[in-house]
Amino acid sequence: EQVLERRLKREAWRPDARAADALRAAEDGILFLKSARLVEELGERAVDLLTREPDARQARDIHSRVMRLVHYYRTTDAGLPEWLKRFVTTGYSHYATMLPDAFADRGVAPGDLAAMLQFIFTLESLALSLGCERSQLVIAVRQAGPVTVDPPKLSLLWAAECVLRLRDVAGLSAKFDDLVDNELTLPTLPEYLEGLLLALVFTPIVVGLTVELLSKAFERLPDRLLMPWMPKLLRMLRLHADEALPVLVKEAAAVYPRGLEALAGWSPPWHRTSQAIDAAAPAGPRTHLGPAERAAASLLRRYPATTNAVANTLGLPTTWADPASDEFGDRVAVGQQGDGTS
């Protein structure tokens, strides 16, 4: 036991040790020595090393080891140890701080960036319960927007914005529609798809969008554009055969008809969704309010702080109409600003 303990400590305290090395030593301490004291010492070393991580090259390994440790300790009576809680909160804050530079740095691989986002989003509920603030992540993602130019990283950024509700999936689908319809930007489509495939590790939101984008490409592109594009697409898909393709195949199986008989009257769900939205669009705002709606409008006018805070968070103007006019009540009832912005 003394020999094993000495070897594990030497592994964690060597000059070039990284946080993943200390986590691996902590796992070995659990497996072979069952020493809570040693594991805590190695875990504290991992937390210290994590704060000094210079890049995201080991983010995927760190995430997988942390998830194994979290699942293990949740099966024990003692629950998560303090050092593991600190590792999760430190990792959440550390990787969120690194996001803007990682999106802008061409030396950071999209896979490493996806691993950082995977750590953040898959452990976010635990991190928030331990005291982290999501506002730090929102600020980091917003800062990353203007500096991101690589197509795979742009897809990762858009997926992260969808998770944070800074962007809606319908708007992202329209953006990719423009990409498919523009022959000048079409050569970059496989790179955007690669970013969406990488995003599958931290959000299922983009699964349907990826199937939709591939389907539209095969539907709309002429052979003179599609055939030269196919080899690059196949090489890119092959790299994600283990993780992304099974999810995409499952989603496609749920979308497409199961037999040739059903194909004649079949239409893609994204077409049906757009048609349903157009059919359900209201003809115009209501002009007559009931007593309950007028009472709600009056209440909002008396206590405007909450409404102003929500509007500022969404980036909307906070101009209030004259309370004596019907215009104010009408705006409250239909949920619109003066320019029609919801």
Side-chain angles (χ1 to χ4, degrees):
E1 291 181 358
Q2 292 178 353
V3 172
L4 285 175
E5 180 175 343
R6 189 161 57 247
R7 288 183 177 180
L8 293 177
K9 288 184 177 180
R10 184 168 63 242
E11 179 72 13
W13 267 271
R14 69 173 193 266
D16 59 342
R18 302 282 294 266
D21 300 322
L23 285 178
R24 182 171 57 252
E27 285 184 285
D28 291 340
I30 295 173
L31 289 172
F32 302 122
L33 294 179
K34 308 294 184 183
S35 173
R37 175 196 56 79
L38 174 63
V39 173
E40 181 180 3
E41 189 175 351
L42 295 171
E44 293 293 348
R45 172 63 174 170
V47 175
D48 180 59
L49 290 173
L50 181 61
T51 60
R52 293 181 279 170
E53 282 285 310
D55 52 53
R57 287 181 298 173
Q58 291 193 343
R60 190 178 303 277
D61 190 18
I62 289 173
H63 171 263
S64 62
R65 294 185 184 280
V66 169
M67 290 300 295
R68 286 200 297 268
L69 288 166
V70 168
H71 292 323
Y72 164 73
Y73 279 111
R74 279 176 173 170
T75 63
T76 63
D77 296 333
L80 300 184
E82 291 300 322
W83 72 263
L84 186 54
K85 293 178 181 179
R86 282 195 296 275
F87 192 96
V88 171
T89 56
T90 302
Y92 184 89
S93 300
H94 181 66
Y95 283 136
T97 303
M98 291 176 61
L99 279 180
D101 291 337
F103 273 108
D105 188 357
R106 292 180 180 270
V108 177
D112 295 336
L113 180 58
M116 292 172 58
L117 292 169
Q118 183 183 19
F119 184 102
I120 291 171
F121 285 116
T122 58
L123 291 167
E124 184 178 36
S125 59
L126 177 58
L128 296 182
S129 69
L130 296 174
C132 290
E133 296 288 341
R134 199 182 205 193
S135 58
Q136 180 184 9
L137 176 60
V138 173
I139 293 172
V141 170
R142 284 176 172 168
Q143 288 177 341
V147 298
T148 307
V149 295
D150 293 343
K153 292 184 178 181
L154 274 174
S155 292
L156 287 170
L157 176 64
W158 294 337
E161 289 175 342
C162 288
V163 176
L164 297 172
R165 298 185 180 181
L166 301 177
R167 182 185 298 272
D168 61 276
V169 179
L172 188 55
S173 177
K175 185 181 290 291
F176 282 118
D177 279 344
D178 297 337
L179 183 69
V180 173
D181 294 336
N182 188 346
E183 292 190 21
L184 296 177
T185 59
L186 187 62
T188 63
L189 183 58
E191 299 179 57
Y192 283 102
L193 278 171
E194 182 181 9
L196 291 178
L197 293 176
L198 290 170
L200 293 177
V201 300
F202 63 83
T203 177
I205 294 177
V206 297
V207 178
L209 180 62
T210 306
V211 173
E212 176 185 345
L213 182 57
L214 284 170
S215 301
K216 287 179 178 178
F218 284 98
E219 173 191 6
R220 300 179 184 178
L221 297 182
D223 289 344
R224 61 182 179 85
L225 298 176
L226 184 61
M227 298 311 294
W229 177 67
M230 284 293 293
K232 186 176 182 180
L233 173 66
L234 293 175
R235 288 196 301 269
M236 183 267 296
L237 289 174
R238 185 175 182 180
L239 297 175
H240 304 276
D242 295 335
E243 295 182 357
L245 280 186
V247 181
L248 293 179
V249 171
K250 183 178 180 180
E251 177 69 16
V255 168
Y256 290 105
R258 297 183 178 275
L260 292 176
E261 299 80 7
L263 189 60
W266 177 80
S267 63
W270 44 89
H271 290 174
R272 295 196 298 268
T273 302
S274 61
Q275 293 169 0
I277 292 175
D278 294 339
R286 290 165 29 187
T287 57
H288 300 288
L289 303 179
E293 292 166 329
R294 288 190 175 276
S298 177
L299 181 65
L300 291 175
R301 183 72 188 188
R302 288 201 305 271
Y303 304 100
T306 301
T307 303
N308 290 339
V310 173
N312 290 332
T313 302
L314 298 176
L316 300 177
T318 55
T319 302
W320 291 81
D322 184 3
S325 68
D326 289 338
E327 181 187 6
F328 172 73
D330 292 343
R331 289 185 186 179
V332 172
V334 301
Q336 293 181 332
Q337 295 291 336
D339 59 355
T341 304
S342 296

